[in-house]
Amino acid sequence: MTKHFASTIAAMISQVFILSSQGDHLIYKDFRGEAGSDVVGVFYEKVTALTGDQPPVVMNHGDLHFVHVRQGGLYWVATTTADSSPFTLIEFLNRLAALVKDYCGSLCEKSVQMNFALIYELLDEVVDYGYIQTTSSDVLKNFIQTEAVCSKPFSLFDLSNVGLFGAETQQSKVAPSSAATRPVQSSREQGGKSEIFVDVIERMSVVIGSNGVVMKADVEGEIRVKCFMPSCSEMRIGLNEEFSIGKSQIRGYGAAVRVDECSFHQAVRLDEFSSSRILRLCPSPGEQTVMQYQLSDELPSAPPFRLYPTIERDSGGRLLMYLKLRCDLLPRSAAINVCVTIPVPRGSVSVSQELSSPDQSAELKLQSRAIEWRIPRFPGGTQLSALFKLEAPALGPAPLMEVGPVVLAFELPHLTVTGLQIRFLRLSPVQPGPSQRWIRYVTHSDSYVIRV
Amino acid sequence: MTDSKYFTTTKKGEIFELKAELNSDKKEKKKEAVKKVIASMTVGKDVSALFPDVVNCMQTDNLELKKLVYLYLMNYAKSQPDMAIMAVNTFVKDCEDPNPLIRALAVRTMGCIRVDKITEYLCEPLRKCLKDEDPYVRKTAAVCVAKLHDINAQLVEDQGFLDTLKDLISDSNPMVVANAVAALSEIAESHPNSNLLDLNPQTINKLLTALNECTEWGQIFILDCLANYTPRDDRESQSICERVTPRLSHANSAVVLSAVKVLMKFMEMLPKDLDYYGTLLKKLAPPLVTLLSAEPELQYVALRNINLIVQRRPEILKHEMKVFFVKYNDPIYVKLEKLDIMIRLASQANIAQVLAELKEYATEVDVDFVRKAVRAIGRCAIKVEQSAERCVSTLLDLIQTKVNYVVQEAIVVIKDIFRKYPNKYESVIATLCENLDSLDEPEARAAMIWIVGEYAERIDNADELLESFLEGFHDESTQVQLQLLTAIVKLFLKKPTETQELVQQVLSLATQDSDNPDLRDRGYIYWRLLSTDPVAAKEVVLAEKPLISEETDLIEPTLLEELICHIGTLASVYHKPPSAFVEGSRGVQHKRLPGSTLTPSHRRPVLSALPVDNLFFFVCSSTIQLGGDIGGNPAMGAAFGAAPATMPASFNAPGSGGLDDLFDLGGGVGMPMGALNPPKAVWLPAMKAKGLEISGVFVRRAGVIQMEMTLTNKAMSVMTDFAIQFNRNSFGLAPAGPLQILTPLSPNQSIEPLNNLQVAVKNNIDVFYFSCQYPISMLFVEDGKMERQVFLATWKDIPNDNESQFQIKDCHLNSDAASNKLQSSNIFTIAKRTVEGQDMLYQSMKLTNGIWVLAELRVQAGNPNYTISLKCRAPEVSQCVFQNYEAVLKN
């Protein structure tokens, strides 16, 4: 152990290591010689001993502080002895994971293990003496020598391992986003296949009060680009022309698309943005979030789902819940993988159900004290109903108070709730040979709550 | 062929095989071998034996292989310092390589090899690299200076690298600037007083220019460096803010937080009526809100920071209440933080909305969250008066659910609501009493017992209820036991006839059958109080309680200021200053906001509404012996100082065991309780002293001047660390006890009466100043009787100008009675003469500082008006002495 001084420099990393979910050491890099490699074990013990209600974000062992994120089933850990910024460390670890994914093609124990030499090389360029240098794949490609090793040949139809926007998704049947799962560098050699993926992903949080009034409605969205264009120097993404930012703007008639706040990737140039809503950027190879935006307290259209519940106790002491669920999307769209969670009173034992169509299913989960009602596909403009009879021999004195709020989880493919659309995607210079452009839209429920 | 195979070799002859491969002629084979070595290194195997063989691979033109070898070197050079020297030549050569990548790689790796012998060889190459034409090499070299400084600080200074590093702040490449700033910041922290990072408007300007061009990580270094700068005036402050504000919309949350830190700090310097101040406030809200859409880890860290920001500047987020409403899928630690911020932002404007949310939360599944939500409803009631009624009815609804933990939490908060709004919501007591049996948590039981005791007169069966708790007295936790004791004593004072047995039972349980000193002490106090003076007992036990404070859990302001200076860092997540968790914190200075008026001793009491135990307020009585120590009578002062302590001054924590002092249970006391005790006057009202009330009286007993003070803690937190100090005063009164010295007040004696005493009392909360007047008779010493001859000579000796005459009206004592009375105040009659039916009393008295006062008192039988002539070498005291005569004679 060497002498060192306490520092309050915000971005100072002592060590970085990557562990498998079983705690195997995959990567270990010490930047400052402040602590030994034995802390890796300490970290794993601590993180596995955490209970659900303890914030896992920052943990300490003596003077050493651990910050970690979980990506691809792995623990990505940074340690520091200084009063560093946890924001910096978390952002850094997320970028590191993204870089590893870009370089190795996918993010899993195996790909990290196979490419350890590459990852060490990356780490050496990304951090020097604990100071973060760069995480831009564009800059890094000048320095990195090692070739990535792929576990299996890249296939457009390999639709496993889709992780979007931090949310688990069941997107696989809808869009080929995971087609982008391949190392950025291989495109150098492959040369032939050039592809670009642009995803517009939105998450909505809605609270509908028991009187049917929308109490809160927020949308968070982002535009993501994953680029495999060897010769692309500039790309222009055109958004809806009537796109506006901020609350003060006067809205005309028609379908203006409005968000409250917008932030852009560092590489995005906005000189054409204010006039014609065009984002210009030189895409670095790999994946990047080009734009993030949010809209709070307002939805441009009606919330996609409404619930009409009737709950009563019958003479036999059972609780009858009659639920009508309406999907207010346009008829040509549909929600998929809808899951309705209805909390039930303590003391509920079993449920019998009558559902309006055979593809639906429902089940009482005693552990979470809720009924889960699943609807694989729910077209716009239709209505479903369900009757649940709840056997609860030992109901409390106020069972109706314990029912609800109902929570919905769903996906809305091909749809953005804000109405944001990509008008066009132009690449320059004009790409020689065949190139593929994928643009897709999806909206997820983040927290869709209907109070009863 | 994949790399994973490297992890599988565990055979015995492994090292031997690797050795052979490393020495192979084929480049590919060599590379594969080095990879295997590094794989073994990663999983913790010792491959240091291969050092020479790996070093042999160093001289290669294959960059990939070279990088691998360097990686190995960094790890093992320290354990093989002699071998490491072998590599030096190659390093030095590589630093001259035409390829900048290799030059940078060499200088980077050399800096990481923490071997003293190598550092000598490092200096020359480093010097060249710091001036390299390629920015990539320069920025690597800048970092290398910090590395070298850590190994050998002296060498870095001697070689002049620090100056070169300072020059790099003006480099044309922003990446170089950022790394130079980072390196200098770190080096500067190990020399806290050095002027290394000389921040002046010129350098600040350079940094701000680089800020726009460098990478996000570089921006963080620069912003953190800016945060350490103190602008010279508000205009400079504003111009820096203007140039930093665009960073708020950066996608990287670390950049955003570093910018927020700079702005929060520099905002302190802006006048609040400035338009720009308002603009800035508005600009701070959106980026903070945006952080809440990040993944839960970042959200949590952001919420911890927002919690600080909201305490410092609630106006920033006052309109953003909705974003803190919890989502059902937030992790519990995020939910709890959000709830905390919701309460901090709750106001009359949004209370309806907040309450509706909280009510929903209170029916959720997660127990911890539900509990906190119920508490939050109570806190809203206390914070926003208009909502109190609605909160109470919401709480009653929740009690109806009969969910055990909900009921218990509700009762705990209802107790606080009773404290805040006395005589308003007591109608709900009946509902509360119904749930008595279901309470199994100490806090809820204690709260319920408090309610029963406090409102015993309105609860018909209060005695039965309390008696039922008494059965298992010894199994209860301390807080319940203490509460039960107090409640039963209250009950007894309110309904003495039917509860005598009960009170005796609890007193004997508390004093005789308990090992807990707190409980025993409280029991004894009540016991003596009740047996000596039930009226006083009623006054003490049933005294009106101070209102509880509405803001709870506030961070202490000096800490808050320091934490604001550390926004975005670990300190802001732990809510602790960095010195509390960073090793070697001598290098870390406590940061202050610019323009801060707070000094470390300047603290606000943090009143908590929650602890039940504090509902009894702590009264501490203390007596200080005073000694005069100026005015030419040192012996007197010494004598007083050494006088046996009849009433030892005790200023130790009244919160913990302070009750001991209440009626001086120590034994062997010369002062019977409640007798002959002049009434105390309030010297320092609690309003003025953050809850500390001081009342007192001066008495002179057995030749000792005593200042008896009653310190009453009317706040709800414990006060400790008491100390006292008197300002310089006419008679040199000073505490004789071993008390801490504070800065005296500035002398201000001309306007004040002579017998005015300015006192400073300090505790853990603040220093309080007050002044009080002591009767001058305190100062009359026992040996103040003058010899007749001396009296006559002195009387003549004192010039007539020094004589003053006063009238004492309406006094009906005869001269002997007057003489006796005065003698008890150490005013001695030396002679008495009767002339024409008029008694002339010649009297003397001596002050502690050796001043003699001579008096002639004329008393005419039948005339209630006395005439008094006073002669003294210090005529200033005459007025006081006259007043004292008047006081003594008329008393």
Side-chain angles (χ1 to χ4, degrees):
Chain A
M1 193 80 59
T2 53
K3 73 180 169 80
H4 58 275
F5 295 100
S7 176
T8 50
I9 294 177
M12 203 149 72
I13 296 172
S14 188
Q15 299 154 310
V16 168
F17 46 89
I18 305 174
L19 300 184
S20 74
S21 52
Q22 285 80 41
D24 305 325
H25 303 199
L26 301 180
I27 297 287
Y28 169 80
K29 174 96 186 154
D30 185 356
F31 292 103
R32 296 176 61 92
E34 290 168 333
S37 58
D38 48 328
V39 302
V40 179
V42 174
F43 166 79
Y44 189 70
E45 268 173 37
K46 279 185 175 278
V47 80
T48 44
L50 277 180
T51 59
D53 53 348
Q54 286 170 292
V57 186
V58 185
M59 299 185 292
N60 74 311
H61 171 61
D63 292 316
L64 198 67
H65 306 271
F66 300 102
V67 171
H68 82 280
V69 299
R70 289 203 72 170
Q71 294 237 2
L74 307 173
Y75 293 102
W76 303 71
V77 192
T79 70
T80 179
T81 57
D83 183 21
S84 294
S85 156
F87 292 96
T88 311
L89 301 183
I90 294 172
E91 290 272 5
F92 166 74
L93 291 171
N94 283 335
R95 294 309 165 79
L96 181 66
L99 272 177
V100 170
K101 188 178 170 201
D102 281 348
Y103 272 87
C104 307
S106 66
L107 210 52
C108 61
E109 186 174 338
K110 200 168 179 204
S111 65
V112 169
Q113 215 168 53
M114 284 189 305
N115 289 292
F116 72 94
L118 170 63
I119 296 172
Y120 276 123
E121 198 185 355
L122 269 173
L123 273 172
D124 251 341
E125 294 297 340
V126 166
V127 182
D128 191 4
Y129 194 52
Y131 308 158
I132 304 170
Q133 301 293 312
T134 180
T135 47
S136 147
S137 58
D138 223 12
V139 177
L140 286 169
K141 69 177 182 221
N142 302 316
F143 307 130
I144 301 302
Q145 309 294 324
T146 315
E147 277 299 324
V149 188
C150 256
S151 52
K152 52 191 162 190
F154 159 71
S155 153
L156 193 65
F157 302 103
D158 175 14
L159 298 171
S160 62
N161 183 25
V162 190
L164 278 176
F165 208 12
E168 286 303 312
T169 167
Q170 301 84 24
Q171 195 64 58
S172 47
K173 288 168 202 141
V174 189
S177 153
S178 55
T181 308
R182 60 170 172 161
V184 278
Q185 279 184 324
S186 53
S187 57
R188 282 206 293 229
E189 285 71 37
Q190 285 189 353
K193 196 143 210 169
S194 53
E195 285 181 303
I196 189 153
F197 303 84
V198 179
D199 294 343
V200 182
I201 306 152
E202 296 190 345
R203 293 190 299 175
M204 66 189 310
S205 309
V206 171
V207 177
I208 299 175
S210 48
N211 52 359
V213 174
V214 179
M215 300 171 67
K216 173 184 150 116
D218 297 337
V219 182
E220 294 154 6
E222 64 176 16
I223 301 178
R224 271 196 174 187
V225 172
K226 183 141 190 173
C227 178
F228 300 97
M229 294 278 175
S231 59
C232 173
S233 64
E234 193 191 64
M235 153 173 152
R236 297 166 80 231
I237 304 174
L239 308 182
N240 319 41
E241 274 178 330
E242 60 276 17
F243 181 78
S244 69
I245 302 170
K247 291 193 199 256
S248 59
Q249 305 239 2
I250 302 156
R251 294 207 279 150
Y253 301 100
V257 176
R258 194 187 69 83
V259 298
D260 290 335
E261 269 296 308
C262 223
S263 64
F264 301 95
H265 188 272
Q266 172 138 308
V268 176
R269 270 165 296 150
L270 298 170
D271 37 348
E272 287 181 69
F273 187 72
S274 53
S275 57
S276 36
R277 299 303 181 207
I278 293 171
L279 305 172
R280 287 173 54 205
L281 75 154
C282 307
S284 335
E287 192 170 319
Q288 57 221 284
T289 302
V290 170
M291 173 175 143
Q292 280 172 294
Y293 56 90
Q294 57 209 280
L295 174 64
S296 34
D297 258 351
E298 184 185 303
L299 283 180
S301 52
F305 295 100
R306 288 205 176 260
L307 181 74
Y308 303 92
T310 317
I311 302 172
E312 58 193 33
R313 290 178 85 161
D314 74 357
S315 51
R318 285 185 303 184
L319 205 61
L320 302 182
M321 296 197 280
Y322 183 67
L323 306 177
K324 268 198 289 186
L325 185 64
R326 201 177 77 201
C327 178
D328 285 334
L329 295 172
L330 292 175
R332 59 171 189 277
S333 350
I336 59 167
N337 299 324
V338 182
C339 176
V340 187
T341 309
I342 308 133
V344 295
R346 256 164 276 264
S348 305
V349 182
S350 63
V351 68
S352 66
Q353 63 214 30
E354 289 168 28
L355 303 172
S356 54
S357 70
D359 56 337
Q360 304 169 44
S361 63
E363 184 181 357
L364 174 66
K365 303 257 175 179
L366 284 175
Q367 203 175 10
S368 53
R369 238 183 66 209
I371 296 173
E372 273 183 18
W373 175 20
R374 294 184 178 277
I375 305 151
R377 192 165 184 284
F378 195 170
T382 61
Q383 182 168 305
L384 297 175
S385 60
L387 175 64
F388 298 110
K389 291 181 188 162
L390 211 54
E391 293 288 351
L395 274 183
L400 296 187
M401 272 191 76
E402 293 182 46
V403 178
V406 173
V407 170
L408 270 80
F410 53 83
E411 271 173 65
L412 311 176
H414 316 297
L415 189 92
T416 57
V417 272
T418 55
L420 183 81
Q421 301 278 320
I422 308 279
R423 252 190 308 147
F424 58 78
L425 181 63
R426 287 188 196 129
L427 306 171
S428 60
V430 175
Q431 298 293 302
S435 69
Q436 302 251 34
R437 296 174 200 184
W438 300 92
I439 297 181
R440 59 170 209 148
Y441 305 96
V442 65
T443 297
H444 295 280
S445 60
D446 181 16
S447 167
Y448 197 100
V449 177
I450 302 174
R451 292 177 178 161
V452 293
Chain B
M1 182 105 158
T2 70
D3 283 7
S4 59
K5 68 178 185 298
Y6 305 121
F7 288 96
T8 57
T9 49
T10 47
K11 278 175 251 113
K12 282 221 164 172
E14 184 189 343
I15 298 279
F16 187 76
E17 271 174 38
L18 283 172
K19 216 176 177 82
E21 285 176 41
L22 284 170
N23 291 316
S24 153
D25 298 335
K26 285 177 195 148
K27 231 175 233 173
E28 268 313 300
K29 201 150 198 186
K30 267 191 186 179
K31 198 160 83 183
E32 293 302 309
V34 179
K35 276 193 182 178
K36 280 185 200 166
V37 172
I38 290 173
S40 308
M41 201 171 87
T42 301
V43 295
K45 281 186 211 156
D46 184 9
V47 282
S48 58
L50 294 166
F51 200 89
D53 307 280
V54 177
V55 169
N56 273 340
C57 303
M58 201 169 159
Q59 278 175 335
T60 170
D61 46 6
N62 181 317
L63 196 51
E64 190 185 351
L65 178 56
K66 200 182 265 288
K67 280 186 163 183
L68 289 169
V69 175
Y70 278 14
L71 191 65
Y72 176 88
L73 274 178
M74 275 189 246
N75 220 15
Y76 282 115
K78 205 171 174 196
S79 58
Q80 314 261 339
D82 296 327
M83 299 279 230
I85 297 294
M86 290 164 52
V88 164
N89 268 337
T90 320
F91 277 127
V92 174
K93 215 177 103 208
D94 281 354
C95 287
E96 309 266 348
D97 198 278
N99 182 345
L101 290 189
I102 293 184
R103 293 202 297 276
L105 181 65
V107 78
R108 184 170 73 207
T109 312
M110 264 180 111
C112 292
I113 297 178
R114 308 175 62 91
V115 175
D116 265 335
K117 282 184 194 162
I118 285 198
T119 53
E120 301 163 29
Y121 299 92
L122 178 58
C123 291
E124 277 322 299
L126 179 58
R127 197 184 315 283
K128 277 186 203 151
C129 288
L130 279 166
K131 305 223 153 98
D132 201 282
E133 54 177 16
D134 190 289
Y136 180 68
V137 180
R138 288 203 301 280
K139 71 111 185 164
T140 310
V143 178
C144 188
V145 175
K147 294 178 188 170
L148 190 57
H149 185 272
D150 194 27
I151 304 168
N152 190 340
Q154 197 56 45
L155 184 70
V156 170
E157 280 169 46
D158 295 346
Q159 296 279 333
F161 285 140
L162 294 181
D163 293 320
T164 323
L165 202 52
K166 279 196 222 169
D167 293 342
L168 288 181
I169 290 192
S170 315
D171 199 277
S172 57
N173 183 294
M175 206 46 217
V176 179
V177 178
N179 278 300
V181 167
L184 276 173
S185 306
E186 190 178 349
I187 295 171
E189 287 202 1
S190 59
H191 304 274
N193 298 318
S194 71
N195 210 15
L196 267 184
L197 206 56
D198 179 24
L199 296 177
N200 54 48
Q202 286 76 42
T203 46
I204 291 294
N205 199 33
K206 280 175 198 156
L207 291 181
L208 285 167
T209 313
L211 183 61
N212 292 328
E213 292 161 10
C214 65
T215 68
E216 48 198 327
W217 311 108
Q219 292 182 15
I220 297 169
F221 286 127
I222 292 178
L223 287 168
D224 285 341
C225 179
L226 278 177
N228 288 326
Y229 176 66
T230 309
R232 285 173 308 177
D233 51 33
D234 53 331
R235 282 175 55 193
E236 192 186 3
S237 191
Q238 176 174 350
S239 86
I240 296 175
C241 286
E242 276 165 358
R243 293 176 70 177
V244 167
T245 318
R247 300 297 121 212
L248 289 177
S249 51
H250 202 285
N252 185 325
S253 66
V255 176
V256 174
L257 258 290
S258 289
V260 168
K261 171 164 62 185
V262 173
L263 295 173
M264 281 295 284
K265 207 176 158 191
F266 288 12
M267 241 168 123
E268 297 286 334
M269 295 197 59
L270 298 177
K272 289 202 172 170
D273 47 355
L274 198 70
D275 286 347
Y276 181 70
Y277 179 82
T279 319
L280 201 53
L281 276 185
K282 282 199 197 94
K283 281 190 177 160
L284 278 168
L288 294 175
V289 172
T290 306
L291 290 174
L292 297 182
S293 49
E295 55 266 47
E297 290 87 4
L298 275 179
Q299 261 190 61
Y300 172 75
V301 180
L303 286 165
R304 294 290 281 176
N305 278 280
I306 289 171
N307 201 328
L308 296 176
I309 293 170
V310 162
Q311 287 185 55
R312 181 81 195 166
R313 297 202 180 278
E315 60 271 35
I316 294 177
L317 288 164
K318 66 179 174 196
H319 298 303
E320 306 289 347
M321 175 60 95
K322 275 195 177 179
V323 299
F324 298 105
F325 287 178
V326 304
K327 296 179 183 170
Y328 84 95
N329 53 351
D330 281 335
I332 179 71
Y333 52 89
V334 167
K335 285 182 175 173
L336 295 178
E337 283 299 316
K338 281 186 172 175
L339 211 50
D340 210 40
I341 295 172
M342 278 172 67
I343 313 244
R344 292 201 196 288
L345 289 175
S347 66
Q348 201 184 338
N350 55 27
I351 192 73
Q353 220 181 6
V354 173
L355 215 51
E357 281 294 309
L358 292 176
K359 198 175 172 181
E360 291 291 338
Y361 301 165
T363 58
E364 288 212 5
V365 183
D366 190 293
V367 176
D368 284 342
F369 181 59
V370 170
R371 282 172 179 276
K372 189 145 184 179
V374 176
R375 264 182 204 232
I377 296 174
R379 277 170 70 184
C380 281
I382 290 165
K383 193 170 175 201
V384 185
E385 188 168 357
Q386 292 81 357
S387 74
E389 195 160 346
R390 229 171 329 162
C391 293
V392 171
S393 78
T394 308
L395 288 169
L396 284 180
D397 284 352
L398 291 172
I399 289 177
Q400 298 302 346
T401 63
K402 305 269 177 200
V403 178
N404 190 280
Y405 52 86
V406 173
V407 173
Q408 309 212 38
E409 289 295 327
I411 285 180
V412 171
V413 293
I414 285 180
K415 175 219 54 187
D416 288 335
I417 295 173
F418 285 172
R419 290 285 317 274
K420 172 81 180 175
Y421 308 107
N423 302 318
K424 246 180 144 172
Y425 300 110
E426 282 76 5
S427 53
V428 308
I429 289 177
T431 320
L432 302 186
C433 288
E434 286 165 20
N435 293 285
L436 212 60
D437 299 335
S438 63
L439 308 180
D440 53 11
E441 289 162 22
E443 204 183 350
R445 286 172 83 84
M448 194 62 220
I449 292 170
W450 181 86
I451 292 171
V452 174
E454 188 65 18
Y455 300 100
E457 67 274 26
R458 309 183 197 199
I459 304 170
D460 295 336
N461 59 344
D463 49 342
E464 282 167 36
L465 295 178
L466 291 176
E467 198 170 1
S468 70
F469 280 107
L470 207 55
E471 280 160 19
F473 189 76
H474 289 296
D475 302 327
E476 300 281 2
S477 72
T478 307
Q479 64 167 326
V480 178
Q481 290 178 334
L482 285 169
Q483 211 47 254
L484 196 52
L485 171 61
T486 305
I488 292 179
V489 170
K490 283 181 189 169
L491 174 69
F492 171 69
L493 290 166
K494 290 173 177 177
K495 300 178 179 174
T497 45
E498 61 257 54
T499 55
Q500 201 145 13
E501 209 169 303
L502 192 60
V503 81
Q504 262 162 9
Q505 203 182 339
V506 77
L507 286 174
S508 88
L509 279 172
T511 53
Q512 286 161 23
D513 302 341
S514 169
D515 295 334
N516 185 322
D518 285 346
L519 185 65
R520 234 171 28 211
D521 286 352
R522 197 185 276 195
Y524 277 124
I525 286 162
Y526 285 140
W527 202 324
R528 294 194 188 187
L529 204 48
L530 293 172
S531 55
T532 336
D533 190 347
V535 180
K538 215 162 185 170
E539 272 170 31
V540 170
V541 179
L542 302 180
E544 196 175 319
K545 277 149 217 69
L547 290 184
I548 52 174
S549 140
E550 57 185 47
E551 284 292 345
T552 52
D553 308 340
L554 284 177
I555 294 177
E556 190 268 314
T558 41
L559 177 60
L560 181 61
E561 283 204 354
E562 187 172 358
L563 292 179
I564 290 282
C565 295
H566 289 282
I567 279 182
T569 70
L570 289 174
S572 68
V573 179
Y574 291 137
H575 287 186
K576 284 181 196 160
S579 53
F581 59 86
V582 175
E583 190 196 336
S585 44
R586 63 185 181 283
V588 184
Q589 290 169 337
H590 289 272
K591 293 189 178 173
R592 292 261 163 276
L593 290 171
S596 163
T597 52
L598 291 176
T599 59
S601 67
H602 213 109
R603 288 162 188 236
R604 196 196 308 174
V606 180
L607 302 182
S608 159
L610 303 176
V612 177
D613 208 27
N614 286 351
L615 292 171
F616 186 97
F617 24 122
F618 298 103
V619 181
C620 162
S621 166
S622 250
T623 307
I624 298 183
Q625 295 171 29
L626 305 172
D629 61 355
I630 57 164
N633 196 349
M636 184 82 65
F640 286 149
T646 53
M647 279 262 169
S650 82
F651 272 91
N652 51 6
S656 52
L659 287 166
D660 304 21
D661 299 329
L662 181 53
F663 297 123
D664 210 15
L665 304 169
V669 188
M671 184 181 66
M673 189 48 234
L676 297 175
N677 214 4
K680 286 178 179 157
V682 175
W683 287 339
L684 181 71
M687 295 275 289
K688 286 191 180 161
K690 303 174 182 176
L692 175 68
E693 186 188 74
I694 299 178
S695 56
V697 67
F698 288 91
V699 289
R700 189 181 178 91
R701 260 189 217 103
V704 180
I705 303 172
Q706 295 180 339
M707 173 179 174
E708 289 186 12
M709 297 199 295
T710 302
L711 285 81
T712 310
N713 183 350
K714 297 206 164 178
M716 297 205 56
S717 57
V718 172
M719 293 175 176
T720 54
D721 307 334
F722 281 92
I724 191 165
Q725 167 99 11
F726 297 164
N727 196 3
R728 273 182 20 212
N729 52 74
S730 307
F731 296 99
L733 291 186
L739 294 154
Q740 198 178 323
I741 307 298
L742 296 172
T743 324
L745 283 171
S746 59
N748 183 18
Q749 305 198 338
S750 53
I751 323 157
E752 306 289 343
L754 285 177
N755 51 347
N756 196 56
L757 184 63
Q758 294 175 330
V759 186
V761 171
K762 173 195 144 304
N763 64 5
N764 59 329
I765 293 165
D766 205 340
V767 182
F768 307 107
Y769 300 99
F770 62 90
S771 58
C772 50
Q773 290 190 9
Y774 52 91
I776 200 156
S777 63
M778 288 302 95
L779 305 172
F780 299 161
V781 298
E782 277 72 11
D783 58 346
K785 187 164 186 173
M786 233 177 205
E787 288 297 326
R788 277 170 165 248
Q789 302 306 322
V790 182
F791 184 90
L792 283 172
T794 316
W795 188 270
K796 280 186 192 153
D797 202 16
I798 297 174
N800 282 342
D801 291 350
N802 282 10
E803 183 174 350
S804 31
Q805 217 169 61
F806 304 94
Q807 290 277 322
I808 301 173
K809 289 178 179 150
D810 288 334
C811 191
H812 302 281
L813 297 169
N814 64 34
S815 60
D816 287 336
S819 176
N820 283 340
K821 225 172 176 179
L822 291 166
Q823 177 129 13
S824 65
S825 298
N826 290 349
I827 299 174
F828 300 99
T829 307
I830 296 159
K832 179 180 162 188
R833 205 152 63 103
T834 310
V835 182
E836 297 162 9
Q838 194 176 43
D839 288 337
M840 318 272 273
L841 297 174
Y842 295 95
Q843 297 174 317
S844 73
M845 61 221 88
K846 186 180 156 195
L847 302 182
T848 46
N849 56 354
I851 294 177
W852 288 92
V853 182
L854 310 180
E856 185 196 29
L857 185 66
R858 274 172 282 177
V859 182
Q860 193 151 26
N863 183 351
N865 295 345
Y866 297 179
T867 309
I868 182 169
S869 303
L870 293 171
K871 257 190 163 185
C872 179
R873 287 188 200 279
E876 302 88 335
V877 301
S878 301
Q879 180 71 32
C880 300
V881 173
F882 156 66
Q883 284 166 357
N884 187 59
Y885 263 91
E886 198 163 41
V888 173
L889 291 174
K890 287 186 179 174
N891 184 6

